[in-house]
Amino acid sequence: MAALTLQPRLRLSVLARIAALLAVSLWAQTTAGAYDTTVCGRTGYTIPSNNMTFNANAWNPDDKGFQCISVQDSPPAFAATWSWSSNPETVHSYPHVKLTAPGLPTPLSNISALVLSAEWSMGPGSTPRPAPVVDHDGLANHGTSANVAFDIFVDPNAANARSEKTAATEIMIWVGRFGHAEPLGFDASMEKTCFTQTVGDAEFVLYQGHNDRGTHVLSWVATFNHTTFAAEVSPLLQYLWRNGLVSAGSHVGLVSFGTEAYHSDGIVTFSASEFDMHLVTGAAPNLAVGDLPAECSRAASTNPPQWLLSSASIKAVVSATLLYLIS
């Protein structure tokens, strides 16, 4: 029987698939017992006791990589292990947890307070690290590009706002960024950057653009990584609708937390815990925001608008945060 001869490209593809399968097998052995279930590719999983949903969400895979996610039912936590070595400027997957709260969907102008929180870690290899630990050198050695972000989908139609495929607008809040991961509208010279805004102890910079599906994507990107994040983020949303970047009547319908995986020459594991969302509905506090400049400039990007809150507004936000902390 004649020996099978593989063409160079086919041989590399087959070897890549074998390597990916071996990596998944090794990872499954490493995480055995630590999590209740593991799913890969685009598969999702819902915790039976509380209906919290997780998704591996490898929506743009290539044949040289893989994406899996393991979920712990109680207390809820997850770890995503992946490797994508092709197309380094492209997002391949967004492993995430969907966050829920009574009151969704609700118009942006009907959000009095929105508290988002999470702890996370990231590093090379298949072993999850306890939050909040990041192996920056190890990630750099793998050429890792990824972000860590809350993802909020918004649409004038409440039903459309419930799906990332039908929502007209996507609002991202990046709390971590590695390598060459860049939001839509990013410019290294900052000439296209709009105002910065601070919530909690995190300073964010605004970028905007449209993705291949035509969705308007508005990204608030933290200037530093925040592996432990808990903040009342409604000022970020209010800045957008008061400046006309999205309509005040648009509904927030879907909120999630996870990592967008762009590229890594080796295996990377992201793990997350303590993720939560607390929503207070009612008339939004009357914040006097700065006008969005006609052309976002370097000068504008370093001068945030002044947020002027009435005593009633301050009381509402503080009360909402206190309710979240003691709940």
Side-chain angles (χ1 to χ4, degrees):
M1 182 177 179
L4 176 64
T5 302
L6 298 178
Q7 295 298 320
R9 286 187 180 180
L10 181 60
R11 181 173 181 273
L12 285 173
S13 177
V14 171
L15 291 176
R17 289 176 183 272
I18 292 173
L21 289 172
L22 288 173
V24 173
S25 176
L26 176 62
W27 176 60
Q29 294 175 31
T30 302
T31 59
Y35 295 92
D36 294 287
T37 192
T38 298
V39 294
C40 298
R42 300 188 182 189
T43 312
Y45 169 75
T46 300
I47 297 176
S49 62
N50 59 16
N51 292 322
M52 182 173 285
T53 300
F54 301 77
N55 202 318
N57 198 24
W59 60 272
N60 183 31
D62 64 51
D63 61 3
K64 295 182 180 180
F66 74 96
Q67 163 77 71
C68 293
I69 185 172
S70 282
V71 179
Q72 175 180 289
D73 289 4
S74 182
F78 72 94
T81 295
W82 59 273
S83 176
W84 305 113
S85 58
S86 298
N87 304 318
E89 296 181 357
T90 301
V91 176
H92 293 283
S93 58
Y94 177 61
H96 65 270
V97 56
K98 291 184 179 179
L99 304 176
T100 60
L104 289 182
T106 191
L108 286 166
S109 59
N110 192 47
I111 295 178
S112 291
L114 178 62
V115 179
L116 297 178
S117 58
E119 289 188 358
W120 57 272
S121 65
M122 189 182 293
S126 57
T127 303
R129 290 161 173 76
V133 175
V134 174
D135 184 348
H136 293 277
D137 291 338
L139 292 171
N141 289 337
H142 276 353
T144 302
S145 291
N147 71 21
V148 180
F150 293 93
D151 208 6
I152 303 170
F153 287 90
V154 177
D155 194 274
N157 181 286
N160 289 344
R162 291 180 177 273
S163 170
E164 58 267 45
K165 294 181 179 179
T166 57
T169 303
E170 179 180 7
I171 301 171
M172 301 194 75
I173 301 176
W174 291 31
V175 295
R177 179 178 172 227
F178 302 92
H180 299 290
E182 296 175 350
L184 290 172
F186 179 83
D187 189 325
S189 69
M190 294 186 70
E191 291 298 329
K192 295 181 180 179
T193 303
C194 297
F195 284 131
T196 63
Q197 181 59 48
T198 299
V199 294
D201 61 352
E203 183 181 48
F204 291 90
V205 181
L206 179 64
Y207 302 88
Q208 64 173 322
H210 288 81
N211 62 21
D212 293 339
R213 196 161 49 217
T215 307
H216 184 199
V217 183
L218 296 150
S219 301
W220 287 106
V221 180
T223 53
F224 296 98
N225 290 341
H226 294 266
T227 51
T228 297
F229 182 82
E232 204 287 286
V233 301
S234 66
L236 299 180
L237 304 181
Q238 190 164 157
Y239 178 87
L240 301 178
W241 63 262
R242 287 197 183 275
N243 276 302
L245 293 174
V246 63
S247 67
S250 287
H251 292 76
V252 172
L254 180 62
V255 181
S256 59
F257 173 73
T259 176
E260 285 188 318
Y262 290 65
H263 174 266
S264 180
D265 293 324
I267 298 173
V268 169
T269 296
F270 165 84
S271 58
S273 60
E274 302 297 331
F275 34 78
D276 200 3
M277 173 173 66
H278 182 75
L279 172 68
V280 179
T281 57
N286 186 21
L287 304 180
V289 303
D291 294 330
L292 189 72
E295 241 176 77
C296 299
S297 64
R298 186 188 304 272
S301 71
T302 56
N303 289 281
Q306 299 299 309
W307 297 86
L308 305 177
L309 281 73
S310 66
S311 59
S313 299
I314 293 174
K315 182 178 179 180
V317 172
V318 171
S319 296
T321 304
L322 287 174
L323 284 172
Y324 167 76
L325 291 174
I326 64 176
S327 62

